[in-house]
Amino acid sequence: MLTGTRPGFGNRVSHSHRRTPRRFDPNVQSKRYWLPSENRYVRLRLSTKGIKTVDTIGIEAAVARIRARGVRV
Protein backbone atom coordinates (compact mmCIF):
# COMPACT_ATOMS: atom_id res chain seq x y z
CA MET A 1 0.00 0.00 0.00
CA LEU A 2 2.83 2.41 0.81
CA THR A 3 5.70 1.56 -1.52
CA GLY A 4 3.73 0.09 -4.43
CA THR A 5 5.95 -2.99 -4.52
CA ARG A 6 4.88 -5.51 -7.15
CA PRO A 7 6.17 -8.96 -8.12
CA GLY A 8 9.35 -9.13 -10.16
CA PHE A 9 9.72 -11.62 -12.99
CA GLY A 10 12.67 -13.66 -14.12
CA ASN A 11 13.76 -17.16 -14.97
CA ARG A 12 14.43 -20.32 -13.00
CA VAL A 13 17.69 -21.75 -14.24
CA SER A 14 18.12 -25.50 -13.82
CA HIS A 15 21.39 -27.40 -13.51
CA SER A 16 21.28 -28.05 -17.28
CA HIS A 17 20.76 -24.27 -17.73
CA ARG A 18 17.20 -24.57 -19.09
CA ARG A 19 15.19 -21.46 -18.30
CA THR A 20 11.57 -21.39 -17.19
CA PRO A 21 9.58 -18.34 -16.08
CA ARG A 22 9.15 -17.56 -12.40
CA ARG A 23 7.91 -14.77 -10.10
CA PHE A 24 9.75 -13.01 -7.31
CA ASP A 25 6.95 -12.10 -4.88
CA PRO A 26 7.50 -9.23 -2.43
CA ASN A 27 7.59 -10.00 1.29
CA VAL A 28 4.12 -8.61 2.11
CA GLN A 29 2.89 -8.54 5.71
CA SER A 30 -0.37 -7.37 7.25
CA LYS A 31 0.31 -5.05 10.20
CA ARG A 32 -1.96 -3.14 12.55
CA TYR A 33 -1.03 0.40 13.64
CA TRP A 34 -2.69 2.75 16.13
CA LEU A 35 -3.70 6.00 14.39
CA PRO A 36 -3.97 8.62 17.17
CA SER A 37 -5.54 11.34 15.01
CA GLU A 38 -8.56 9.11 14.25
CA ASN A 39 -8.46 7.28 17.60
CA ARG A 40 -8.55 3.85 15.91
CA TYR A 41 -6.40 1.05 14.56
CA VAL A 42 -5.66 0.72 10.85
CA ARG A 43 -4.57 -2.51 9.21
CA LEU A 44 -2.08 -2.05 6.37
CA ARG A 45 -0.67 -4.54 3.87
CA LEU A 46 2.98 -3.54 3.66
CA SER A 47 6.19 -4.97 2.32
CA THR A 48 8.96 -5.25 4.90
CA LYS A 49 10.57 -2.17 3.34
CA GLY A 50 7.23 -0.37 3.83
CA ILE A 51 7.21 -1.33 7.52
CA LYS A 52 10.68 0.18 7.91
CA THR A 53 9.46 3.32 6.11
CA VAL A 54 6.55 3.65 8.56
CA ASP A 55 9.03 3.30 11.45
CA THR A 56 11.10 6.13 9.96
CA ILE A 57 8.46 8.69 8.87
CA GLY A 58 5.70 7.80 11.34
CA ILE A 59 2.22 6.37 10.88
CA GLU A 60 0.49 9.74 10.31
CA ALA A 61 2.76 10.65 7.38
CA ALA A 62 2.54 7.11 5.99
CA VAL A 63 -1.28 7.15 6.02
CA ALA A 64 -1.21 10.57 4.34
CA ARG A 65 1.00 9.16 1.56
CA ILE A 66 -1.26 6.13 1.12
CA ARG A 67 -4.35 8.33 0.88
CA ALA A 68 -2.56 10.60 -1.64
CA ARG A 69 -2.19 7.54 -3.89
CA GLY A 70 -5.98 7.09 -3.74
CA VAL A 71 -6.08 4.03 -1.51
CA ARG A 72 -8.80 3.87 1.13
CA VAL A 73 -7.49 3.29 4.67
Side-chain angles (χ1 to χ4, degrees):
M1 296 174 100
L2 181 61
T3 58
T5 307
R6 304 179 86 176
F9 295 91
N11 288 310
R12 248 186 215 96
V13 181
S14 69
H15 178 71
S16 64
H17 216 66
R18 290 181 68 118
R19 294 158 191 262
T20 54
R22 64 159 292 180
R23 274 170 59 134
F24 294 94
D25 290 323
N27 187 2
V28 175
Q29 308 291 326
S30 181
K31 190 153 168 60
R32 194 176 79 148
Y33 290 98
W34 176 252
L35 194 59
S37 64
E38 298 182 15
N39 203 29
R40 69 182 183 110
Y41 283 100
V42 291
R43 188 170 297 278
L44 303 177
R45 273 178 48 98
L46 300 169
S47 63
T48 49
K49 183 181 179 187
I51 292 171
K52 292 174 188 173
T53 303
V54 170
D55 291 343
T56 304
I57 66 173
I59 186 63
E60 298 287 345
V63 168
R65 280 191 195 178
I66 291 169
R67 286 182 173 150
R69 295 181 69 198
V71 180
R72 185 173 160 267
V73 179

Coordinates of all heavy atoms in Angstrom, one line a residue:
M1 N 0.8 -1.2 0.0 CA 0.0 0.0 0.0 C 0.9 1.3 0.0 O 0.5 2.3 -0.6 CB -0.9 0.0 1.2 CG -1.9 -1.1 1.3 SD -2.8 -1.1 2.8 CE -4.3 -0.3 2.4
L2 N 2.0 1.2 0.7 CA 2.8 2.4 0.8 C 3.9 2.5 -0.3 O 4.0 3.6 -0.9 CB 3.5 2.4 2.2 CG 4.4 3.6 2.5 CD1 3.6 4.9 2.6 CD2 5.1 3.3 3.9
T3 N 4.6 1.5 -0.6 CA 5.7 1.6 -1.5 C 5.3 1.2 -2.9 O 6.0 1.4 -3.9 CB 6.9 0.7 -1.1 OG1 6.4 -0.7 -0.9 CG2 7.5 1.2 0.2
G4 N 4.2 0.5 -3.1 CA 3.7 0.1 -4.4 C 4.5 -1.1 -5.0 O 4.6 -1.2 -6.2
T5 N 5.1 -1.9 -4.1 CA 5.9 -3.0 -4.5 C 5.1 -4.0 -5.2 O 4.0 -4.4 -4.8 CB 6.6 -3.6 -3.3 OG1 7.3 -2.6 -2.6 CG2 7.6 -4.7 -3.7
R6 N 5.6 -4.5 -6.4 CA 4.9 -5.5 -7.2 C 5.8 -6.7 -7.4 O 7.0 -6.5 -7.2 CB 4.4 -4.9 -8.5 CG 3.6 -3.7 -8.3 CD 3.1 -3.1 -9.6 NE 1.9 -3.8 -10.0 CZ 1.2 -3.5 -11.1 NH1 1.6 -2.5 -11.8 NH2 0.2 -4.1 -11.4
P7 N 5.3 -7.8 -7.9 CA 6.2 -9.0 -8.1 C 7.2 -8.7 -9.2 O 6.8 -7.9 -10.2 CB 5.2 -10.1 -8.6 CG 3.9 -9.6 -8.1 CD 3.9 -8.2 -8.0
G8 N 8.4 -9.2 -9.1 CA 9.3 -9.1 -10.2 C 9.3 -10.4 -10.9 O 8.8 -11.5 -10.4
F9 N 9.8 -10.4 -12.2 CA 9.7 -11.6 -13.0 C 11.1 -11.9 -13.5 O 11.9 -11.0 -13.7 CB 8.8 -11.4 -14.2 CG 7.3 -11.2 -13.8 CD1 6.8 -10.0 -13.5 CD2 6.5 -12.3 -13.6 CE1 5.5 -9.8 -13.1 CE2 5.2 -12.2 -13.2 CZ 4.7 -10.9 -13.0
G10 N 11.4 -13.2 -13.6 CA 12.7 -13.7 -14.1 C 12.6 -15.1 -14.6 O 11.5 -15.6 -14.9
N11 N 13.7 -15.8 -14.5 CA 13.8 -17.2 -15.0 C 14.3 -18.0 -13.9 O 15.3 -17.6 -13.2 CB 14.6 -17.3 -16.2 CG 14.0 -16.7 -17.4 OD1 12.8 -17.0 -17.7 ND2 14.7 -15.9 -18.1
R12 N 13.8 -19.3 -13.8 CA 14.4 -20.3 -13.0 C 15.5 -20.9 -13.9 O 15.2 -21.2 -15.1 CB 13.4 -21.4 -12.7 CG 13.1 -21.5 -11.2 CD 12.2 -22.7 -11.0 NE 11.3 -22.3 -9.9 CZ 10.1 -21.8 -10.1 NH1 9.5 -21.7 -11.3 NH2 9.3 -21.4 -9.0
V13 N 16.6 -21.2 -13.4 CA 17.7 -21.7 -14.2 C 18.1 -23.1 -13.6 O 18.6 -23.1 -12.5 CB 18.9 -20.8 -14.4 CG1 20.0 -21.4 -15.3 CG2 18.5 -19.5 -14.9
S14 N 17.8 -24.2 -14.3 CA 18.1 -25.5 -13.8 C 19.6 -25.8 -13.9 O 20.4 -25.0 -14.5 CB 17.3 -26.5 -14.6 OG 17.8 -26.6 -15.9
H15 N 20.0 -27.0 -13.4 CA 21.4 -27.4 -13.5 C 21.8 -27.5 -15.0 O 23.0 -27.2 -15.3 CB 21.6 -28.7 -12.8 CG 22.9 -29.3 -12.9 ND1 24.0 -28.7 -12.2 CD2 23.4 -30.3 -13.6 CE1 25.1 -29.4 -12.4 NE2 24.8 -30.4 -13.2
S16 N 20.9 -27.9 -15.9 CA 21.3 -28.0 -17.3 C 21.2 -26.7 -18.0 O 21.3 -26.6 -19.2 CB 20.4 -29.1 -18.0 OG 19.0 -28.6 -17.9
H17 N 20.8 -25.6 -17.2 CA 20.8 -24.3 -17.7 C 19.5 -24.0 -18.6 O 19.5 -23.0 -19.4 CB 22.0 -23.9 -18.5 CG 22.4 -22.5 -18.3 ND1 22.8 -22.0 -17.0 CD2 22.4 -21.4 -19.1 CE1 23.1 -20.7 -17.1 NE2 22.9 -20.3 -18.4
R18 N 18.5 -24.9 -18.5 CA 17.2 -24.6 -19.1 C 16.5 -23.5 -18.3 O 16.6 -23.5 -17.1 CB 16.3 -25.8 -19.1 CG 16.8 -26.9 -20.1 CD 15.9 -28.0 -20.1 NE 14.6 -27.7 -20.7 CZ 14.1 -28.2 -21.8 NH1 14.8 -29.2 -22.4 NH2 13.0 -27.9 -22.2
R19 N 15.8 -22.6 -19.0 CA 15.2 -21.5 -18.3 C 13.7 -21.6 -18.4 O 13.1 -21.8 -19.5 CB 15.6 -20.1 -18.9 CG 17.1 -19.9 -18.7 CD 17.7 -18.9 -19.7 NE 19.1 -18.9 -19.6 CZ 19.8 -17.9 -19.0 NH1 19.1 -17.0 -18.3 NH2 21.1 -18.0 -18.9
T20 N 13.0 -21.4 -17.2 CA 11.6 -21.4 -17.2 C 11.1 -20.2 -16.4 O 11.8 -19.7 -15.5 CB 11.0 -22.7 -16.5 OG1 11.6 -22.8 -15.3 CG2 11.3 -23.9 -17.4
P21 N 10.0 -19.6 -16.8 CA 9.6 -18.3 -16.1 C 9.2 -18.5 -14.6 O 8.8 -19.6 -14.2 CB 8.3 -17.9 -16.8 CG 8.2 -18.8 -18.0 CD 9.1 -19.9 -17.8
R22 N 9.5 -17.5 -13.8 CA 9.1 -17.6 -12.4 C 8.8 -16.2 -11.9 O 9.1 -15.2 -12.6 CB 10.3 -18.1 -11.6 CG 11.5 -17.3 -11.6 CD 12.4 -17.6 -10.4 NE 11.8 -17.1 -9.2 CZ 12.4 -17.2 -8.0 NH1 13.6 -17.7 -7.9 NH2 11.8 -16.7 -6.9
R23 N 8.2 -16.1 -10.7 CA 7.9 -14.8 -10.1 C 8.7 -14.6 -8.8 O 8.9 -15.5 -8.1 CB 6.4 -14.7 -9.7 CG 5.5 -14.3 -10.8 CD 4.1 -14.6 -10.3 NE 3.7 -13.8 -9.1 CZ 2.6 -13.2 -9.0 NH1 1.7 -13.1 -10.0 NH2 2.3 -12.5 -7.9
F24 N 9.1 -13.4 -8.6 CA 9.8 -13.0 -7.3 C 8.7 -12.2 -6.6 O 8.5 -11.0 -6.9 CB 11.0 -12.2 -7.5 CG 12.1 -12.9 -8.2 CD1 12.3 -12.8 -9.6 CD2 13.0 -13.7 -7.4 CE1 13.3 -13.5 -10.2 CE2 14.1 -14.3 -8.1 CZ 14.2 -14.3 -9.4
D25 N 8.0 -12.8 -5.6 CA 7.0 -12.1 -4.9 C 7.6 -11.3 -3.8 O 8.5 -11.7 -3.1 CB 6.0 -13.1 -4.3 CG 5.1 -13.8 -5.4 OD1 4.8 -13.0 -6.3 OD2 4.8 -14.9 -5.2
P26 N 7.0 -10.1 -3.5 CA 7.5 -9.2 -2.4 C 7.1 -9.8 -1.1 O 6.1 -10.6 -1.0 CB 6.8 -7.9 -2.6 CG 5.6 -8.2 -3.4 CD 5.9 -9.4 -4.3
N27 N 7.9 -9.5 -0.1 CA 7.6 -10.0 1.3 C 6.5 -9.1 1.9 O 6.8 -8.1 2.5 CB 8.9 -10.0 2.1 CG 8.7 -10.6 3.4 OD1 7.7 -11.1 3.8 ND2 9.8 -10.6 4.2
V28 N 5.2 -9.4 1.7 CA 4.1 -8.6 2.1 C 3.6 -9.1 3.4 O 3.3 -10.3 3.6 CB 3.0 -8.6 1.0 CG1 1.8 -7.8 1.5 CG2 3.5 -8.0 -0.2
Q29 N 3.4 -8.2 4.4 CA 2.9 -8.5 5.7 C 1.7 -7.7 6.0 O 1.6 -6.6 5.5 CB 3.9 -8.2 6.8 CG 5.3 -8.9 6.5 CD 5.3 -10.4 6.7 OE1 4.5 -10.9 7.5 NE2 6.1 -11.0 5.8
S30 N 0.8 -8.2 6.8 CA -0.4 -7.4 7.3 C -0.1 -6.9 8.7 O 0.2 -7.7 9.5 CB -1.6 -8.2 7.2 OG -2.7 -7.5 7.7
K31 N -0.1 -5.6 8.9 CA 0.3 -5.0 10.2 C -0.7 -4.0 10.7 O -1.2 -3.3 9.9 CB 1.7 -4.4 10.1 CG 2.3 -4.0 11.4 CD 3.8 -4.0 11.3 CE 4.5 -3.4 12.5 NZ 4.2 -4.0 13.7
R32 N -1.0 -4.0 12.0 CA -2.0 -3.1 12.6 C -1.2 -2.0 13.3 O -0.3 -2.3 14.1 CB -2.8 -3.9 13.5 CG -4.1 -3.2 13.9 CD -4.9 -4.2 14.8 NE -4.4 -4.2 16.1 CZ -5.1 -4.4 17.2 NH1 -6.4 -4.6 17.1 NH2 -4.6 -4.4 18.4
Y33 N -1.6 -0.8 13.0 CA -1.0 0.4 13.6 C -2.1 1.2 14.3 O -3.2 1.3 13.8 CB -0.4 1.3 12.6 CG 0.9 0.7 12.0 CD1 0.9 0.1 10.8 CD2 2.1 0.9 12.6 CE1 2.0 -0.4 10.2 CE2 3.3 0.4 12.1 CZ 3.2 -0.3 10.9 OH 4.4 -0.8 10.3
W34 N -1.8 1.8 15.4 CA -2.7 2.7 16.1 C -2.6 4.1 15.5 O -1.5 4.6 15.4 CB -2.4 2.8 17.6 CG -3.2 3.8 18.3 CD1 -2.8 5.0 18.8 CD2 -4.6 3.7 18.7 NE1 -3.8 5.7 19.4 CE2 -4.9 4.9 19.4 CE3 -5.5 2.8 18.4 CZ2 -6.2 5.1 19.8 CZ3 -6.8 3.0 18.9 CH2 -7.2 4.2 19.6
L35 N -3.7 4.7 15.0 CA -3.7 6.0 14.4 C -4.3 7.0 15.4 O -5.5 7.1 15.5 CB -4.5 5.9 13.1 CG -4.4 7.1 12.1 CD1 -3.0 7.3 11.7 CD2 -5.3 6.8 10.9
P36 N -3.5 7.8 16.1 CA -4.0 8.6 17.2 C -4.9 9.7 16.7 O -5.9 10.1 17.4 CB -2.7 9.2 17.8 CG -1.6 8.5 17.2 CD -2.0 7.8 16.0
S37 N -4.7 10.2 15.5 CA -5.5 11.3 15.0 C -7.0 10.9 14.8 O -7.9 11.7 15.0 CB -5.0 11.9 13.7 OG -5.0 10.9 12.7
E38 N -7.2 9.6 14.5 CA -8.6 9.1 14.2 C -9.0 8.2 15.4 O -10.1 7.7 15.4 CB -8.6 8.3 12.9 CG -8.3 9.2 11.7 CD -8.4 8.5 10.4 OE1 -9.0 7.4 10.4 OE2 -8.0 9.0 9.4
N39 N -8.1 8.1 16.4 CA -8.5 7.3 17.6 C -8.9 5.9 17.2 O -9.9 5.4 17.8 CB -9.5 8.0 18.4 CG -9.5 7.6 19.9 OD1 -8.4 7.2 20.4 ND2 -10.6 7.6 20.6
R40 N -8.2 5.2 16.3 CA -8.6 3.9 15.9 C -7.3 3.1 15.4 O -6.3 3.8 15.1 CB -9.6 3.9 14.8 CG -9.2 4.4 13.5 CD -10.3 4.5 12.5 NE -9.9 4.9 11.2 CZ -9.7 4.2 10.1 NH1 -10.1 2.9 10.2 NH2 -9.3 4.7 9.0
Y41 N -7.4 1.8 15.2 CA -6.4 1.0 14.6 C -6.6 1.0 13.1 O -7.8 1.0 12.6 CB -6.4 -0.4 15.1 CG -5.8 -0.5 16.5 CD1 -6.6 -0.6 17.6 CD2 -4.4 -0.6 16.6 CE1 -6.1 -0.8 18.8 CE2 -3.9 -0.8 17.9 CZ -4.7 -0.9 19.0 OH -4.1 -1.0 20.2
V42 N -5.6 1.0 12.3 CA -5.7 0.7 10.8 C -4.8 -0.5 10.5 O -3.7 -0.7 11.1 CB -5.2 1.9 10.0 CG1 -6.2 3.1 10.1 CG2 -3.8 2.4 10.4
R43 N -5.3 -1.3 9.6 CA -4.6 -2.5 9.2 C -4.0 -2.2 7.8 O -4.8 -1.9 6.9 CB -5.5 -3.7 9.2 CG -4.7 -5.0 9.0 CD -5.6 -6.2 9.2 NE -6.0 -6.4 10.6 CZ -5.3 -6.9 11.6 NH1 -4.1 -7.3 11.3 NH2 -5.8 -7.0 12.8
L44 N -2.7 -2.3 7.6 CA -2.1 -2.1 6.4 C -1.4 -3.3 5.8 O -0.8 -4.1 6.6 CB -1.1 -0.9 6.5 CG -1.5 0.4 7.1 CD1 -0.4 1.4 7.3 CD2 -2.6 1.0 6.2
R45 N -1.4 -3.5 4.5 CA -0.7 -4.5 3.9 C 0.6 -3.9 3.3 O 0.6 -3.1 2.4 CB -1.5 -5.1 2.7 CG -2.4 -6.3 3.1 CD -3.2 -6.8 2.0 NE -2.4 -7.1 0.8 CZ -1.9 -8.3 0.5 NH1 -2.1 -9.3 1.3 NH2 -1.2 -8.5 -0.6
L46 N 1.7 -4.2 4.0 CA 3.0 -3.5 3.7 C 4.1 -4.6 3.4 O 4.1 -5.7 3.9 CB 3.4 -2.7 4.9 CG 2.5 -1.6 5.3 CD1 3.0 -1.0 6.6 CD2 2.5 -0.5 4.3
S47 N 5.0 -4.2 2.5 CA 6.2 -5.0 2.3 C 7.1 -4.7 3.5 O 6.8 -3.7 4.3 CB 6.9 -4.6 1.0 OG 7.3 -3.2 1.1
T48 N 8.1 -5.5 3.8 CA 9.0 -5.2 4.9 C 9.7 -3.9 4.8 O 9.9 -3.2 5.8 CB 10.0 -6.4 5.1 OG1 10.6 -6.7 3.8 CG2 9.3 -7.7 5.5
K49 N 10.0 -3.5 3.6 CA 10.6 -2.2 3.3 C 9.6 -1.1 3.7 O 9.9 -0.1 4.3 CB 11.0 -2.0 1.9 CG 11.7 -0.7 1.6 CD 12.1 -0.5 0.2 CE 12.7 0.8 0.0 NZ 13.0 1.1 -1.4
G50 N 8.3 -1.3 3.4 CA 7.2 -0.4 3.8 C 7.1 -0.3 5.3 O 6.8 0.8 5.9
I51 N 7.3 -1.4 6.1 CA 7.2 -1.3 7.5 C 8.3 -0.5 8.1 O 8.2 0.3 9.0 CB 7.2 -2.8 8.1 CG1 6.0 -3.5 7.7 CG2 7.5 -2.8 9.6 CD1 6.0 -5.0 8.1
K52 N 9.5 -0.6 7.5 CA 10.7 0.2 7.9 C 10.4 1.7 7.6 O 10.8 2.5 8.4 CB 12.0 -0.3 7.2 CG 12.4 -1.7 7.7 CD 13.6 -2.1 6.9 CE 13.9 -3.6 7.2 NZ 14.9 -4.2 6.3
T53 N 9.8 1.9 6.5 CA 9.5 3.3 6.1 C 8.5 3.9 7.1 O 8.7 5.1 7.5 CB 8.9 3.4 4.7 OG1 9.8 2.8 3.8 CG2 8.6 4.8 4.3
V54 N 7.5 3.2 7.5 CA 6.6 3.7 8.6 C 7.3 3.9 9.9 O 7.0 4.9 10.5 CB 5.4 2.6 8.8 CG1 4.6 3.0 10.0 CG2 4.5 2.6 7.6
D55 N 8.2 3.1 10.2 CA 9.0 3.3 11.4 C 9.8 4.6 11.3 O 10.0 5.3 12.3 CB 10.0 2.1 11.7 CG 9.2 0.9 12.1 OD1 8.0 1.0 12.5 OD2 9.8 -0.2 12.0
T56 N 10.3 4.9 10.2 CA 11.1 6.1 10.0 C 10.3 7.4 9.9 O 10.6 8.4 10.6 CB 11.9 6.0 8.6 OG1 12.7 4.8 8.7 CG2 12.8 7.2 8.5
I57 N 9.2 7.4 9.1 CA 8.5 8.7 8.9 C 7.3 8.8 9.8 O 6.7 9.9 9.9 CB 8.0 8.8 7.4 CG1 7.0 7.8 7.1 CG2 9.2 8.8 6.5 CD1 6.3 8.0 5.7
G58 N 6.8 7.8 10.4 CA 5.7 7.8 11.3 C 4.4 7.4 10.6 O 4.3 7.5 9.4
I59 N 3.5 6.9 11.4 CA 2.2 6.4 10.9 C 1.3 7.5 10.3 O 0.7 7.2 9.2 CB 1.4 5.5 11.9 CG1 0.2 4.9 11.3 CG2 1.1 6.4 13.1 CD1 0.5 3.9 10.3
E60 N 1.3 8.7 10.9 CA 0.5 9.7 10.3 C 0.9 10.1 8.9 O 0.1 10.2 8.0 CB 0.5 11.0 11.2 CG 0.0 10.7 12.6 CD -1.5 10.6 12.7 OE1 -2.2 11.0 11.7 OE2 -2.0 10.1 13.7
A61 N 2.2 10.3 8.7 CA 2.8 10.7 7.4 C 2.6 9.5 6.4 O 2.3 9.7 5.2 CB 4.2 11.0 7.5
A62 N 2.7 8.3 6.9 CA 2.5 7.1 6.0 C 1.1 7.0 5.5 O 0.8 6.8 4.3 CB 2.9 5.8 6.7
V63 N 0.1 7.2 6.4 CA -1.3 7.1 6.0 C -1.6 8.3 5.1 O -2.4 8.1 4.1 CB -2.2 7.2 7.3 CG1 -3.6 7.4 6.9 CG2 -2.1 5.9 8.0
A64 N -1.0 9.4 5.3 CA -1.2 10.6 4.3 C -0.7 10.2 2.9 O -1.4 10.5 1.9 CB -0.5 11.8 4.9
R65 N 0.5 9.6 2.9 CA 1.0 9.2 1.6 C 0.1 8.1 0.9 O -0.1 8.2 -0.3 CB 2.4 8.5 1.7 CG 3.5 9.5 1.9 CD 4.8 8.8 1.8 NE 5.9 9.7 2.2 CZ 7.2 9.3 2.3 NH1 7.5 8.1 1.9 NH2 8.1 10.1 2.7
I66 N -0.4 7.2 1.7 CA -1.3 6.1 1.1 C -2.5 6.8 0.6 O -3.0 6.4 -0.5 CB -1.6 5.1 2.2 CG1 -0.3 4.3 2.5 CG2 -2.7 4.1 1.7 CD1 -0.4 3.4 3.7
R67 N -3.1 7.7 1.3 CA -4.4 8.3 0.9 C -4.1 9.2 -0.3 O -5.0 9.3 -1.2 CB -4.9 9.2 2.0 CG -5.6 8.3 3.1 CD -6.2 9.0 4.2 NE -7.0 8.1 5.1 CZ -7.1 8.4 6.3 NH1 -6.7 9.5 6.9 NH2 -7.8 7.5 7.1
A68 N -2.9 9.8 -0.5 CA -2.6 10.6 -1.6 C -2.5 9.7 -2.9 O -2.8 10.2 -4.0 CB -1.2 11.3 -1.4
R69 N -2.2 8.5 -2.7 CA -2.2 7.5 -3.9 C -3.6 7.1 -4.3 O -3.8 6.4 -5.3 CB -1.3 6.3 -3.6 CG 0.1 6.6 -3.4 CD 0.9 5.4 -3.1 NE 1.0 4.6 -4.3 CZ 1.3 3.3 -4.3 NH1 1.6 2.7 -3.2 NH2 1.3 2.6 -5.4
G70 N -4.6 7.4 -3.4 CA -6.0 7.1 -3.7 C -6.5 5.8 -3.1 O -7.5 5.3 -3.5
V71 N -5.7 5.3 -2.2 CA -6.1 4.0 -1.5 C -6.9 4.4 -0.3 O -6.5 5.2 0.5 CB -4.8 3.2 -1.1 CG1 -5.2 1.9 -0.5 CG2 -4.0 2.9 -2.4
R72 N -8.0 3.7 -0.1 CA -8.8 3.9 1.1 C -8.2 3.2 2.3 O -7.8 2.0 2.2 CB -10.2 3.3 0.9 CG -11.2 3.6 2.0 CD -12.6 3.2 1.5 NE -13.4 3.0 2.7 CZ -13.6 1.8 3.3 NH1 -13.0 0.7 2.9 NH2 -14.3 1.7 4.4
V73 N -8.1 3.9 3.5 CA -7.5 3.3 4.7 C -8.6 3.2 5.7 O -9.3 4.1 6.0 CB -6.3 4.2 5.2 CG1 -5.7 3.6 6.4 CG2 -5.2 4.2 4.1

